[in-house]
Amino acid sequence: MTSTAQLARAGRRGRAVRRRERAAWLFLTPSLLTIAVFMVWPMLQSAYLSFMDYDRIQPARWVGLDNYTELLHDPAVRNALGNTALYAVVVTPVTVGLALALAMFLNRAVFARGFVRTAVFLPFIVSLAIVAIAWSFLLDPTIGLLSSWLDNIGLVSEQGWLSDPDLAMPTVMAVGVWKNVGFYMVMYLAGLQSIPTELYEAAQLDGTNAWTRFWNVTWPLLSNQTMLISIMAAIATVQAFDQIYVMTHGGPYFTTETLVMLVYRVGFDELRLGYGSAISWVLLLLVFALSMFQFGYVRKRAVTY
């Protein structure tokens, strides 16, 4: 009797588990279908087109690896890759460092802390295209308010901040930092508030100063947040498109044309969809390699407490 009852209970538990699994799959199905239709299928199409010569006018023609061979010798690809690397190398650490500094400052009891937190975070929830349009007007050399203020303090650009080949890239970099720093600041604030206060109290009893406490307590315990934020920031900078397209269209003289801008220009302006797909897959592999490197590097320094 005992074994029969145990088998009956095990059968009921098994049926309950299977019901929960079916319910879970039913809830996941809409999201999985959306991902399959709008992400997986376009990626497979792009991979197929990268081996084709296709312009939406003539029938697609198989060219094998010709598109990938061409991009290895294309000066436009080298220029876009250099601009993308410059943008990522500058914007990523600046954004992460500034977000950490703001989080450290606003984690204390300062005047109007809630208002300042909201003001810093607010740009992140605004559409990047709208933000770029606003900055374009602010920096306009004839009617721009910010451009006028900069002129008054001696920072003059006769061509305009977005038309000067030497200033266009730093300008779009500044907009990119301003747009995203609030989001990463909030993530760091969550990490700071999860650190046990007993650790700081123990460090103070040992007579340590603020820098020592940061370097030996705060920074190691923020390694998990830093890993996630660094990966997210790096991916966002490598894929920079919106503000560059709106503010400079990749100019002047292609000085702000990133890989994503190049994919757009080749694919939609020149209608070389096969070649644009090949460039997009190079970008995808670059993002994947960068993410894996950052994940592997930071994971070894992750801290559990």
Side-chain angles (χ1 to χ4, degrees):
M1 292 294 295
T2 304
S3 60
T4 304
Q6 290 176 342
L7 289 174
R9 285 195 297 270
R12 287 194 295 270
R13 284 196 298 268
R15 287 192 294 271
V17 170
R18 287 192 293 271
R19 284 197 298 268
R20 287 196 295 269
E21 289 178 348
R22 285 195 295 267
W25 280 110
L26 285 174
F27 280 112
L28 286 172
T29 297
S31 298
L32 294 175
L33 288 175
T34 301
I35 293 173
V37 172
F38 294 102
M39 293 185 63
V40 177
W41 177 243
M43 288 179 64
L44 294 177
Q45 284 187 311
S46 175
Y48 174 72
L49 283 177
S50 69
F51 299 101
M52 309 293 289
D53 180 12
Y54 182 50
D55 59 5
R56 296 185 64 87
I57 300 174
Q58 301 294 329
R61 182 172 59 89
W62 179 268
V63 295
L65 295 175
D66 288 358
N67 288 326
Y68 292 95
T69 303
E70 180 181 351
L71 68 84
L72 292 176
H73 304 91
D74 190 347
V77 174
R78 290 196 294 270
N79 174 71
L81 182 60
N83 290 336
T84 302
L86 175 62
Y87 187 92
V89 167
V90 174
V91 173
T92 300
V94 170
T95 306
V96 174
L98 185 58
L100 177 59
L102 287 170
M104 294 287 295
F105 176 72
L106 294 175
N107 194 45
R108 301 180 300 173
V110 297
F111 176 73
R113 180 176 63 176
F115 173 79
V116 177
R117 286 180 178 179
T118 303
V120 175
F121 179 75
L122 187 62
F124 178 77
I125 65 176
V126 182
S127 168
L128 188 52
I130 301 301
V131 166
I133 292 173
W135 277 97
S136 297
F137 280 108
L138 287 171
L139 294 168
D140 188 278
T142 56
I143 63 172
L145 181 61
L146 183 57
S147 180
S148 176
W149 289 348
L150 293 173
D151 288 347
N152 291 335
I153 62 174
L155 299 176
V156 181
S157 175
E158 297 180 357
Q159 297 176 260
W161 292 85
L162 299 176
S163 301
D164 191 326
D166 296 325
L167 297 176
M169 180 61 84
T171 302
V172 296
M173 286 178 178
V175 174
V177 171
W178 173 83
K179 176 70 169 63
N180 294 315
V181 69
F183 176 64
Y184 303 136
M185 177 201 70
V186 170
M187 296 180 67
Y188 267 129
L189 277 172
L192 287 170
Q193 293 173 5
S194 68
I195 298 176
T197 57
E198 294 83 357
L199 298 178
Y200 292 109
E201 294 171 356
Q204 286 180 325
L205 290 175
D206 290 338
T208 59
N209 55 31
W211 170 252
T212 303
R213 290 193 296 273
F214 169 79
W215 189 250
N216 293 287
V217 178
T218 306
W219 180 243
L221 296 181
L222 287 177
S223 59
N224 300 329
Q225 282 78 16
T226 301
M227 177 185 68
L228 178 61
I229 291 171
S230 299
I231 292 175
M232 293 176 62
I235 292 175
T237 54
V238 171
Q239 294 179 327
F241 174 78
D242 305 59
Q243 82 269 25
I244 296 176
Y245 177 77
V246 173
M247 297 175 71
T248 66
H249 293 279
Y253 311 115
F254 305 104
T255 54
T256 60
E257 185 176 69
T258 59
L259 281 174
V260 181
M261 278 293 305
L262 179 62
V263 170
Y264 180 86
R265 176 168 67 85
V266 170
F268 294 96
D269 291 344
E270 301 178 5
L271 291 181
R272 301 183 62 195
L273 297 180
Y275 189 50
S277 298
I279 300 174
S280 69
W281 270 92
V282 171
L283 175 62
L284 175 64
L285 294 176
L286 176 64
V287 171
F288 179 77
L290 180 62
S291 301
M292 289 299 99
F293 171 77
Q294 287 184 306
F295 180 76
Y297 179 80
V298 181
R299 185 179 60 176
K300 296 178 181 178
R301 294 157 180 78
V303 176
T304 303
Y305 57 93

